[in-house]
Structures are given as structure tokens and as C-alpha cells.
Amino acid sequence: MKQVLKRKVYIPLLVCVLFITTSAFKNDFFEIAKQIEIFTTLFKELNMNYVDETNPGDLMDTAIKSMLEDLDPYTRFMNEQDVEAARINNTGDYTGIGAKVRTQHNKLVIVEPYKDYPADKAGLKAGDEIIKVGDILVENYKEDAGNLLKGSPGTSITVTYNRQGKTQTTSIKRAAVEIKAVPHFSLIDDKTGYIVLSQFNNKSSAETSYAVRDLKAQGAERIILDLRGNPGGLLHEAVNIVNLFVPKGQLVVTTKSKVKKYNRTYYTKNQPLDTEIPLVVLIDGGSASASEIVSGSLQDLDRAVIIGSRSFGKGLVQRPKPLTYGTQVKITISRYYTPSGRCIQSLDYWNRNEKGEAVRVKQENYNEFKTKNGRKVFDGGGIFPDVSLGVNENTPIMTALSNDNLIFDFATRYYYNHTIEDISSFQLDDSDFKDFKDFLITSDFSFETETEKKLYKVLESAQKEELDDDIEKEFQELLQQLNNIKSVVLEENKSYLLKQMTDEIVKRYVYREGLYDYYKIHDAPIKKATDILKNPAVYSDYLR
């Protein structure tokens, strides 16, 4: 028994050593060795002497994650499942049922079945709640239940699921699944091409290049590149995509780190596809990392007009480092800088506020830079578009709606209660928004603001001091006013919420592919981009 425990004790020592770079080890040898020894002896004593049985693996997992929490959210430990998920994200290939799923309340929820893949062919739809895979109940499965759906091509699984209160069963034959980086490209009109780039995996530049060439062959003389909601990915793919539109040898991005070997400059290496074709890039608050490298460098080089809302603001670069037993640690190694010299990182994880929260760089602290043509651009807060089309802040109420998946659930209910003959003309109206607000009430939707939290603390202190009778009435009145304000916030974000609801509903009827066709008819940023591209003088003015 003691030998087994000793082996368990030595494992964290090896893991910790692998976290240390050679230079850091030389500089802080004694302090690092001291802290490792303290941790090792603590881990040993805890496992040997704690009153109840302990799980060394769980303890170590908690210890590692707690240590990394003090850094930034992108520096994280990756177990074997995480490593596989990262591989899939980078390659876009895996074997499974062909659907996006999430674990929710001890069940797997189908978020989006991919058109013509196994889940879709088996009849699964968004909102279906898988409760059993084969003979395994999801609620009793301790690992990542999503892995139950993966397996060798051609093998079959039986899934039991709930749909609108009814339990059903279906058989699914697994298959190879390819997640395209460019899920859609087409002509908006006879001369305007539209390309959706949804992620930066190792196929992104090749698929984007193919889309541009195909659209030009169809007659496109101008291009709209849609990066909205694209969270980023491989940095070199971002450089290659910029290279499609700028000459060989052009600086695209620079990375700077305390470790000299990570200080790098990335230049375009290939002959471009087209350096003259008018180009508009669409971004929003979901455009991050590699998306910001593409949009930021094209803006700095005055090669494209950027339209939409401010991007996310992730100016940090990560690199995975292999550990033992198939695990990895993904470490933030550097910051990146666009050609003008700006870093667009918006949150400061190294100078936190009194609550330990990362603070946003204040606007008065933004630094001014110049594009190739001398236009003013700024750092510190993401990529600011040349044409701004609305800003939707991440207010507490919007975050709560997202965390509770209530827009998704409303769309599911809407789909099963409405028949739509012509999705191209579909639009939600005021009555639908009222239905949504009523749905929130029936769903017991609630969230607590920071103001409410402080008010409750005041009441708690008053109760301890036996003063609560004097302030109870005022307290309840303040709470009622806050609830009224929450309702106002919903109205203030009405157009944004209706768009999110519309997107989710349209996908239910015509999949994601149909949503992009819907965008070409109804989407305001696409309409604005098309209008600008149709007028060469207006387009040129934005770049002067």
C-alpha cells in the first residue's frame, strides 16, 4: 500500500518539473525546488492521513487548475480528452455522430445536427436530450459523456432521448465528420462574393483560397469576408489568409515574450491571390485572436474596410507543451502586435481589481497608431471597425440568458409550435418578443446583479444589528425598482435579442447552411458591406 502511495506522490513532482522552463529553472532553482518539495510532502501527508478516502487524481487536477486560475483563462491544463478536442478543432476531422452537443443537467443536449451527417439522418434535432447511449445512462456516467458518441466509422449506437416530453429511441451509424473552416460561400449579387470563415484550423487558408477563386470564376469583383463569431485558432493560418490579399514579404504580426525564442515576426511567404479586389471584413464581439490578426492587419495595411462591432480583444498567444500520460499544458507565451504596432488585448489579467477580476483597459489609456495610409487606429480594446454597426455590451442579464440557454430553449419551443413555409421571408415581431418575455417568466429566469448582492449584504448586517425592521420596506422597494430596470434592459436589447432568436430559429428549419442564405437577404452588416463595395469612391474614402 505504501509503495502505491509513493508512486502517486512522485507523479505530481514530475508534472511540476515539466511546467518549468530551462531559463526559469536556472534563475530560481532554489525557490522552485523548495516549493516542489513542500507540495510533494503535503500531497503525501494528505493522501496517507486524511480521515476519508481521497482520489489523488482529482486532488491533483484541482491543484493544477487552481494554480493556473491566477494567470489568464487561456493558460490551462489539458487532460487526454481536452487534447483530443484540440486536435479535432485544429484538423476539423473526427469520427462520431456529426452533431454539436453539450452536457446539461446530467444529459447530453443536441445543440446542432450537421446536415446529412449520421445524427441528422437518424432524425435527431436541436434540443433533443440524450439520456442513454446503449445501456449507459448519461446521468450515471462520470467521465465526459460526449465521448460515448464517438467511435470507429461504421459502428452503430442506440441512443434514447427526450423530445418535448416524449422518450424516443434511434440507432446511429458513426461516420467520419469533416468540420469545414469555410462552411459557406456564394454570390450575393452578380459581382459580390460572400465568404464565411468560422474557425482557423489547418484547412482555413486553403478553403478560403478556394472560395475566392471559385467566386471570381463566377464573376465576383468584390469580396465580403465574414469573421463574426470566429474565436480564432492557428496563427499561421491567419497569416496565410492575409497573404491571399497582400503581397509576399509583408509583415502581418509580431509576437513578443519574456522568452527570446518566442519573439517572432510573421511575414507573408507566398504570392498573393489578388491584391486589388475590394474587400470588406465583418467582425463582432465574438471575433477573437486569429480573427483579430486578420482584421487588424488588413485594417493596418489599408487593404480592407472593417464593418461591425468591436472585436473581443484577445492579444495573447498560446502554445501547447506536452506533459506525461498524453496530457498537455497550454501556456500563454507572448502577446501579438499588428503591423502598426498595436496589441489589442482588452483585459489585464496581471493587474486585477480588489475582487481579483481582470480589468478592461480604460479608453483614456488607449494608444494611437497609424495605418499604412496614416489613418488613426488604437490598441487596448480589440479591433474597432471602420464602420460601427451597434454595440451590445455583455450586461449581466445578457450573460445570464446565455448561461441558462434560454434563447436556445425558446427556439426549440418555437420550432415545434410553428410551421414556416418560406424561411427567406421569416421575421420575428413584437408579439414574438412578448412571447419570449413570457417564456422567461415561466422558465423562472432570474439573475442577481452586483447591486442586489450588495443590498443583501446590507440587509444581513442590519439583521445582525437588529435594525432590519427600519429598512425592510425601503429594501423591498429598491429590489422592485431593480426588477423594473431588468425589464427595461430587455427592451433596450430587443433588437439584439431578436437577432439571436432569429438565428437560432432559422437553423432549426434550414440548418446552418440555410442561415447564411438568410443572412444575404436580411443581415444589416452584409447589406452595408454590399452598399460600400458597390460604390468605389465610398470604399476608397474609408481607406484614405
Side-chain angles (χ1 to χ4, degrees):
M1 175 65 178
K2 288 185 178 180
Q3 289 181 344
V4 173
L5 282 170
K6 284 181 180 178
R7 286 199 295 271
K8 291 176 179 176
V9 168
Y10 292 148
I11 290 173
L13 175 61
L14 293 173
V15 173
C16 289
V17 169
L18 285 167
F19 271 84
I20 304 166
T21 64
T22 302
S23 60
F25 196 84
K26 289 179 179 178
N27 294 334
D28 304 303
F29 177 83
F30 174 75
E31 185 61 27
I32 291 170
K34 172 185 171 182
Q35 296 303 324
I36 290 175
E37 185 176 356
I38 291 172
F39 180 82
T40 302
T41 53
L42 179 150
F43 194 76
K44 170 185 174 182
E45 295 298 335
L46 189 64
N47 279 285
M48 292 183 67
N49 299 303
Y50 189 70
V51 63
D52 293 322
E53 287 294 321
T54 59
N55 185 317
D58 288 344
L59 285 175
M60 179 55 68
D61 192 61
T62 300
I64 293 173
K65 289 178 179 176
S66 296
M67 174 177 66
L68 298 181
E69 277 180 1
D70 284 340
L71 302 176
D72 64 81
Y74 313 111
T75 297
R76 64 186 185 90
F77 172 70
M78 302 169 68
N79 59 30
E80 293 169 279
Q81 290 76 27
D82 295 330
V83 172
E84 174 61 12
R87 184 199 67 78
I88 291 171
N89 190 57
N90 287 339
T91 63
D93 298 326
Y94 72 100
T95 300
I97 67 170
K100 182 179 179 181
V101 300
R102 70 164 176 265
T103 303
Q104 179 183 334
H105 306 310
N106 297 319
K107 55 182 170 277
L108 288 172
V109 178
I110 300 293
V111 175
E112 181 183 353
Y114 303 139
K115 186 177 181 181
D116 295 330
Y117 277 108
D120 181 39
K121 291 178 179 179
L124 290 180
K125 296 184 180 297
D128 289 347
E129 302 170 351
I130 297 176
I131 55 177
K132 190 163 73 169
V133 180
D135 296 325
I136 301 175
L137 284 171
V138 173
E139 64 179 353
N140 295 335
Y141 194 70
K142 302 303 180 185
E143 306 296 330
D144 182 357
N147 292 326
L148 294 172
L149 302 174
K150 298 175 183 176
S152 302
T155 58
S156 296
I157 51 171
T158 300
V159 298
T160 303
Y161 61 96
N162 285 329
R163 175 184 293 171
Q164 299 295 290
K166 296 181 180 179
T167 301
Q168 302 182 50
T169 301
T170 189
S171 178
I172 307 176
K173 182 178 287 188
R174 299 182 182 97
V177 178
E178 180 186 8
I179 303 173
K180 288 188 173 294
V182 177
H184 178 93
F185 67 89
S186 62
L187 288 174
I188 292 176
D189 55 41
D190 58 349
K191 293 185 179 180
T192 307
Y194 173 58
I195 302 171
V196 179
L197 178 59
S198 62
Q199 60 183 302
F200 287 83
N201 60 29
N202 58 19
K203 302 175 184 176
S204 297
S205 58
E207 291 184 16
T208 305
S209 174
Y210 177 84
V212 173
R213 288 184 281 110
D214 189 281
L215 289 171
K216 288 182 67 175
Q218 294 182 53
E221 297 178 2
R222 45 206 181 225
I223 296 292
I224 299 172
L225 179 62
D226 195 341
L227 296 179
R228 290 176 295 178
N230 185 326
L234 301 176
L235 184 148
H236 70 271
E237 284 294 301
V239 176
N240 290 339
I241 287 171
V242 173
N243 196 171
L244 298 176
F245 305 104
V246 303
K248 180 180 179 180
Q250 172 63 55
L251 174 66
V252 175
V253 63
T254 302
T255 60
K256 297 180 182 180
S257 170
K258 71 174 184 179
V259 182
K260 288 185 179 180
K261 68 178 181 179
Y262 296 142
N263 293 336
R264 296 190 61 183
T265 52
Y266 294 83
Y267 293 85
T268 53
K269 295 181 178 180
N270 306 310
Q271 292 301 322
L273 200 59
D274 193 326
T275 61
E276 300 295 331
I277 191 167
L279 177 66
V280 164
V281 178
L282 304 181
I283 61 171
D284 64 8
S287 307
S289 192
S291 290
E292 294 172 301
I293 291 174
V294 170
S295 55
S297 60
L298 290 173
Q299 185 180 52
D300 282 0
L301 300 172
D302 296 304
R303 180 61 187 87
V305 175
I306 313 301
I307 294 178
S309 55
R310 185 175 70 174
S311 64
F312 182 82
K314 179 180 178 290
L316 304 175
V317 181
Q318 288 72 45
R319 176 169 294 184
K321 295 290 186 179
L323 304 177
T324 54
Y325 299 103
T327 62
Q328 293 181 359
V329 58
K330 190 170 70 170
I331 304 176
T332 296
I333 59 168
S334 56
R335 293 178 175 85
Y336 74 75
Y337 298 79
T338 63
S340 67
R342 55 182 169 148
C343 178
I344 48 78
Q345 177 64 25
S346 62
L347 291 177
D348 186 349
Y349 296 105
W350 297 272
N351 295 288
R352 299 172 183 256
N353 61 21
E354 62 277 3
K355 297 178 184 177
E357 300 169 334
V359 295
R360 182 173 287 277
V361 178
K362 294 182 180 179
Q363 188 168 350
E364 58 265 28
N365 295 328
Y366 292 171
N367 298 300
E368 180 182 309
F369 296 83
K370 294 292 181 65
T371 69
K372 185 177 180 180
N373 291 340
R375 295 187 298 141
K376 294 179 181 179
V377 288
F378 299 89
D379 66 0
I383 301 299
F384 291 85
D386 302 310
V387 183
S388 183
L389 296 179
V391 177
N392 293 288
E393 298 293 339
N394 288 325
T395 60
I397 193 168
M398 305 308 294
T399 301
L401 285 170
S402 176
N403 291 342
D404 291 349
N405 301 301
L406 289 170
I407 292 176
F408 178 88
D409 292 341
F410 178 79
T412 300
R413 193 185 72 163
Y414 189 99
Y415 173 75
Y416 288 107
N417 286 285
H418 295 79
T419 300
I420 299 177
E421 298 295 336
D422 180 15
I423 198 68
S424 64
S425 60
F426 170 72
Q427 285 186 304
L428 294 172
D429 55 26
D430 290 343
S431 63
D432 294 310
F433 191 65
K434 181 180 182 304
D435 287 344
F436 176 67
K437 291 192 291 185
D438 292 341
F439 173 75
L440 297 184
I441 295 173
T442 59
S443 301
D444 296 323
F445 170 64
S446 64
F447 74 100
E448 193 175 48
T449 64
E450 287 298 320
T451 305
E452 283 176 285
K453 292 176 184 177
K454 291 178 180 178
L455 279 175
Y456 278 112
K457 286 183 179 179
V458 170
L459 181 62
E460 184 180 346
S461 298
Q463 289 171 339
K464 289 179 181 178
E465 297 172 3
E466 298 183 353
L467 299 173
D468 52 307
D469 288 341
D470 298 327
I471 67 170
E472 180 69 32
K473 181 179 178 182
E474 288 81 0
F475 176 78
Q476 293 300 330
E477 288 176 352
L478 283 171
L479 281 184
Q480 183 58 49
Q481 290 179 34
L482 281 171
N483 286 327
N484 292 339
I485 291 173
K486 291 178 186 179
S487 180
V488 171
V489 172
L490 280 175
E491 289 293 334
E492 289 176 345
N493 288 273
K494 179 179 176 180
S495 60
Y496 174 77
L497 285 169
L498 284 173
K499 183 184 184 308
Q500 300 303 308
M501 292 155 57
T502 298
D503 288 359
E504 197 61 55
I505 290 169
V506 169
K507 283 191 296 184
R508 304 305 172 95
Y509 292 91
V510 289
Y511 302 89
R512 183 169 293 274
E513 291 84 348
L515 176 62
Y516 297 128
D517 285 325
Y518 181 86
Y519 280 171
K520 293 194 298 182
I521 301 172
H522 299 281
D523 187 70
I526 291 178
K527 289 181 179 179
K528 182 66 175 179
T530 304
D531 289 342
I532 290 174
L533 287 169
K534 283 182 176 179
N535 191 325
V538 172
Y539 175 81
S540 297
D541 282 344
Y542 279 111
L543 301 178
R544 289 198 181 103

